[in-house]
Amino acid sequence: MPANSEFYTKAVAVTKSDSTVLDCIGFYVGGAGNVAIIAKGDTAAVTLTAIIPGTVYNIACNKIMSTNTTATGLVALY
């Protein structure tokens, strides 16, 4: 859940990219796999492995990377 018990107000399908800045406050994963992200405030990518499909991850991130991301059905939440 976003900060201050607010709800997400926008959802956008993600096209995985190593250059596109999303600046989202969370993301949904529809299909199993790994998700490589650059979290807000970081400059290096980290890969989240064994992602659980059908789950919302409340991780603010600048990018959802194409490199090393194998999960599908990604949706950025704002």
Side-chain angles (χ1 to χ4, degrees), residues 24-49:
C24 63
I25 58 174
F27 58 92
Y28 169 84
V29 179
N34 300 330
V35 178
I37 66 166
I38 296 182
K40 283 190 181 180
D42 278 339
T43 56
V46 62
T47 300
L48 308 172
T49 59

Side-chain angles (χ1 to χ4, degrees), residues 3-76:
N4 301 322
S5 298
E6 296 174 12
F7 292 97
Y8 299 109
T9 59
K10 184 177 176 183
V12 177
V14 171
T15 300
K16 299 175 280 188
S17 170
D18 291 347
S19 60
T20 301
V21 176
L22 297 174
D23 198 26
C24 63
I25 58 174
F27 58 92
Y28 169 84
V29 179
N34 300 330
V35 178
I37 66 166
I38 296 182
K40 283 190 181 180
D42 278 339
T43 56
V46 62
T47 300
L48 308 172
T49 59
I51 289 291
I52 301 167
T55 301
V56 170
Y57 289 86
N58 294 315
I59 303 170
C61 56
N62 287 329
K63 295 180 183 180
I64 295 180
M65 309 294 287
S66 178
T67 302
N68 295 328
T69 296
T70 58
T72 59
L74 300 168
V75 178

